Amino acid sequence: MGIIDVKNLHKVYSDTKIPVKAVNGINLSFQEGEFTSIVGPSGSGKTTFLNMIGGLDTPTDGEIIIDGKNISQLNSRQLIDYRLNHIGFVFQSYNLIPVLTAIENVAFILQLQGKSKKERNKRAKELIDAVGIGEKLHNRPGDLSGGQQQRVSVARALASKPQFILADEPTANLDSKSTNDLLDIMLKMNKESNITFIFSTHDQRVMDKARRIITIDDGVVVKDERIDD
Amino acid sequence: MDTIIKIAWRDLWRNKRRTFITMGSIMMAVFLAMFMRSMQIGSYDNMILAGVTEVGYLQVYDSGYWNNKSINKSLVYTNALKKKINNVKNISRIIPRLELFALGSFGNQTKGIFLIGTDPEIEDQQTHLSRKIVKGRYLKKNDSGILLAEKLAKFLKADVNDTIVILGQGYQGITAAGKYKVVGILKFLAKDRNNKMIYMGLSNAQNMISPYVPDVLSSLSIMLDKPNRMKKTRAELQKALGNDYEVITWRTILSEMVQTIQGDNAGGIIMLLILYIVVGFGIFGTVLMMTLERKKEFAVMVSVGMRRSKLSLVMLIETFVIGLMGVLSGIALSLPLLVYLHYNPIGVSGEIADMMIQYNMVPAMPASLKSYIFINQGITVLILALIASLYPVIIINRFKILRALRG
């Protein structure tokens, strides 16, 4: 039993003329500390799969067991709390709050968790330092490069001390250097803090760093390979 | 909470121009609304004050006098009655008056007149009658002379020191007649009063109208220490005097003026309503834009664990702050002008002016500085702002995260 167990997961979009089976019976288990890439062509169902694990979308059928709890049975309010306390999100287009500075974006998550001002500022600063942009603490997203914004995004994802981090095409908008730097940071976090990372990606550079690659096509897992160090 | 306020405040200044335009429209609406209401209420207060100064807040009559104003329905101001009235709290002044329609004659000229017998000292304290003297002098205590309205004097071709004959029907059928020396000429703004008024000392009038029954009065005008307790005082007074007397408020006595004010006030409120509907849609448009263009941001916030209720709070704070800033700047803009107009009233004409003159007032509109005008406008705009933000709150509570994330 892993930290995430997915059993016979299905997702059918019925709001189109012809119902679309985006995920069609996936069974997977993720262990603590994994650094996993989910790959596959566009429309294969990998983002839908990630969204369901992240509690952003609900499955048509099947179970997602996290910490022994089936999250597909949670109501929307419980799902918000679940996302806040168990998952870190890294989005393709960073999605930082534009009116908050780098440190405020990270501290915001801790405030939602009810942490004291002192505690959240200390941890937010540590995380911003850890992702290597300590000199940009008080810059707003508009004053940061794409790579720097994505680092803040990683720091934000780590802020709540989540069980795992879901990253949907996190390097899609980054240049090579920024991509390598970001992956190095995430690998370091993974190794040092044993944080589980699950990526959805097309990027070969991400796949090269991954130690498990799951290939999804037409909503089913077609390959699940583990790469030894 | 501090981050929520921070987000709301900074969001407001992301599009400074839009925020300023919305604030500006609220400011202008508050300015116009306050100006309109302040001038209206100022003129109403002026009219009411003038009316109340003449008739008092309350009047005491003998039972049945109000519906049939006959001299035979006069009351007798006995010591017992005095005592009963004096025992009621909140009464600051009692003005006894004896009134009579009669004929006034001088030489070959005769005219219908309206005679008021009153205590010269108390009358002057209340209505400042002596200020209306344009020739001669004011009545003294126990004066045997009379005061004549200017136009009446002109019609009778009488002047100060001439002797006027007054003839009418006195109390309980006797003939009320007498010769009185004119000691002063009064000028009233109201034409009607300027054409027919004669004032004389109360005892003088009582001797003419009711020589055999002493202390006869048409009415007792009553002024109050605390006018806002008028209803309670009226009830207490009526209870103390019993059914032999009737106690009537100025609102009944001056019902025509009250109706004019109510009609004018309703027109003002309709104008305000139109103004606020326009402003309400302005606020709604801004708030709606602010919501729709940030739907993706909202979706991100909910994705990372922010409750929708907190997001709604951000929206409510933003709308409230825009409204509050608009209201405060509207008050700041209008206050100096209203203070100026309070001390330097604008002259008026038309129906309102006629009404004011009729009540012996200078036809001018001072601005009112009553705090409730400012408070009411402020609260109205803030309520409008909160109503306008209800739709965005509904959007926030219903949007689909994934659809919003895709933009």
Side-chain angles (χ1 to χ4, degrees), chain A residues 167-187:
Chain A
D168 187 14
E169 308 271 10
T171 58
N173 294 335
L174 301 182
D175 58 33
S176 294
K177 186 177 182 309
S178 299
T179 299
N180 286 329
D181 290 347
L182 189 76
L183 287 170
D184 287 343
I185 289 164
M186 290 199 274
L187 260 177

Side-chain angles (χ1 to χ4, degrees), chain A residues 36-52:
Chain A
T36 306
S37 281
I38 298 175
V39 301
S42 294
S44 58
K46 56 186 188 299
T47 298
T48 305
F49 175 67
L50 227 58
N51 286 338
M52 286 192 286

Side-chain angles (χ1 to χ4, degrees), chain B residues 27 38 43 53 61 72 88 147 186 191 196 208 225 233 245 269 272 288 290 310 346 405:
Chain B
M27 181 181 77
S38 178
S43 64
T53 303
Y61 306 113
N72 292 329
V88 175
L147 301 174
L186 298 162
K191 281 180 192 169
K196 67 181 183 193
M208 180 182 73
D225 285 320
T233 308
Y245 300 93
I269 288 171
L272 274 185
L288 191 62
M290 278 159 57
K310 284 190 176 170
I346 302 174
L405 275 175

Side-chain angles (χ1 to χ4, degrees), chain B residues 20-38:
Chain B
F20 277 125
I21 288 172
T22 311
M23 258 176 59
S25 68
I26 296 171
M27 181 181 77
M28 284 314 295
V30 170
F31 172 78
L32 287 173
M34 292 220 325
F35 182 76
M36 276 165 54
R37 290 309 281 166
S38 178

